[in-house]
Amino acid sequence: MKPRLASLLRAFVFALPLLMLAPLPSTLQPIPAALAGEAAPLAEDEAVEKRLIAISEELRCLVCQNESLAGSQAELANDLRREVRTLIKAGKSDAEIKEFLVSRYGDFVLYRPPVKSTTLLLWAGPGLLLLIGLFALFRYLRRRNAAIATTPLSADEARRAEALLNSGTAERKQP
Amino acid sequence: MNRFAWPLVGFVVLVVLLGVGLTLNPRDVPSPLVGKPAPAFTLKQLGDAGKTFSPEEMRGKVWLLNVWASWCVTCRQEHPVLVDFARTQSVPLVGLNYKELRGDAAVDMSRVDAATEESEARERATRWLAQRGDPYALTALDLDGRVGIDYGVYGVPETYVIDKAGIIRMKHTGPITPDVLSGKILPLVAELSK
């Protein structure tokens, strides 16, 4: 049963390129006009569209909050992209466009929120955690170094260690 | 004991932070419009095609602006609360019908032209209010959602409390529950009406 299945599979894999070749002649036929119309260019103006994408990648879609405005298919994202497009065509700067959205939806739309008193912890937090970690590491290492340095062997311990080392070498010599 | 104390403290702090995080609503985005003048607009009214509405007309009154649409499922949930509010309160409630046709995923907008859009939106909104009761002093039609953008609408329903000077004093996103109404909106309205 199993070998037969394997040979069937192999035959299928070998036949695959042939299967892919088969419909080729039909794809060479001219595409009907109605179908071609469906893939209409997304934008009349490529420069505007490039700027739109650059700006909207920095902005959060409010409906699907883990998506950028550039990538979201939400209805509102569509509307906001249309707004941004209008503003670009009206000659507004990137900062002005962002301000337009921030004044309506708040700093939340910016993936890079501005540094102010409410966002200070957000910006400084990782650095602060790093400092705390470095401090803890430094303290731990210093304490350990101190512990190693301050425990020399007593005379008795030194003698016993010596004896053990000697006996070890003696044993190894024996056989 | 000391060796385990700090990791334990760290763990407890983390658990508390995550626990608090679970109780927060990520959809509740603070609106920068609170404390700012309500954005101006002029839109056609639902009831009377010849009439328009603009927030300027409400100067000197405390009023509520409620954003709704007939395709919005949560609006159905909050509607009885609004109907009840309109019956018992003297503060006007203005409806902003948001993208009645364009917002409805079931409607293929490529087959709807501007004239049909307006008439169909009117018909749909009127029917919806006829079925469920009309709590609105009037409803303005925001067909393309342009006014919604000015008000920072990102989901329906949303409700704004606007004071006598035309300043937005509160924004509530999501449905108005009896708790939100009695706990947040009514006290604010009472204070502003003084």
Side-chain angles (χ1 to χ4, degrees), chain A residues 62-63 65 75-76 79-80 82-83 102-106 108, chain B residues 26-27 29 32-33 98-99 102 144 146 149-150 152-154:
Chain A
L62 283 126
V63 182
Q65 298 181 347
E75 184 73 20
L76 180 70
D79 288 4
L80 290 177
R82 188 191 61 204
E83 282 308 306
V102 167
S103 67
R104 284 160 179 76
Y105 296 98
F108 190 72
Chain B
R27 298 251 143 224
V29 181
L33 286 159
Y98 178 73
K99 296 174 74 173
R102 293 183 198 200
D144 59 1
R146 191 60 198 68
I149 288 177
D150 280 345
V153 172
Y154 60 89

Side-chain angles (χ1 to χ4, degrees), chain A residues 75 82, chain B residues 71 99-105 107 109 114 117 143-145:
Chain A
E75 184 73 20
R82 188 191 61 204
Chain B
W71 44 262
K99 296 174 74 173
E100 178 58 46
L101 241 57
R102 293 183 198 200
D104 191 343
V107 177
M109 282 313 290
E117 182 182 9
L143 293 173
D144 59 1

Side-chain angles (χ1 to χ4, degrees), chain A residues 1 39 52 56 59 64 71 76 87 99 101 109 111 117 133 152 169-170 175:
Chain A
M1 179 71 206
L52 170 69
S56 53
L59 298 167
C64 338
L76 180 70
L87 290 171
E99 177 50 36
L101 286 159
V109 292
Y111 271 126
S117 59
T169 46

